[in-house]
Amino acid sequence: MSTTKTDNVRFTTKGQVVIPMWLRRQYHIEDGTRAVIEATEDGILLKPMTAALIKRGRGILKRKPGGQSLAEEWAEHKKQERQLEDRHAG
């Protein structure tokens, strides 16, 4: 039988939360680590996109021939992210 360790966190007025150090270490979360967030029946699921996870996933997503380069896709993603942050900041 596995034991689940829990901890308490608080949300800031911006909706930010600090992930406890023990979880950051356990899941290899470093400064700049990105995550996927998902709404589930049980609540909010946060999946860190760590280097190890990305390495395992290489090759799963195939790029479309003639599509945008990874750099172009990343630039577009960052642009959309900034626009979203600007909307929420105001």
Side-chain angles (χ1 to χ4, degrees):
M1 178 193 268
S2 69
T3 329
T4 302
K5 185 175 177 181
T6 61
D7 212 332
N8 292 307
V9 296
R10 294 178 195 218
F11 289 90
T12 68
T13 56
K14 291 184 176 184
Q16 297 169 329
V17 64
V18 174
I19 305 297
M21 179 62 78
W22 65 272
L23 281 170
R24 294 194 312 263
R25 285 184 179 143
Q26 181 176 341
Y27 290 96
H28 309 286
I29 298 170
E30 299 171 354
D31 184 32
T33 298
R34 302 192 64 78
V36 174
I37 189 165
E38 182 179 333
T40 71
E41 289 183 16
D42 293 323
I44 299 168
L45 176 61
L46 189 65
K47 298 177 184 179
M49 299 300 295
T50 61
L53 182 62
I54 291 168
K55 187 175 181 180
R56 276 187 286 169
R58 279 196 186 141
I60 292 174
L61 299 175
K62 300 290 182 190
R63 305 189 65 72
K64 295 180 184 176
Q68 288 182 314
S69 71
L70 185 58
E72 290 169 326
E73 285 182 25
W74 183 252
E76 180 64 26
H77 168 76
K78 295 304 284 180
K79 179 181 170 185
Q80 291 173 359
E81 192 175 65
R82 278 191 302 276
Q83 289 171 345
L84 185 61
E85 287 174 354
D86 290 344
R87 273 188 254 146
H88 286 49

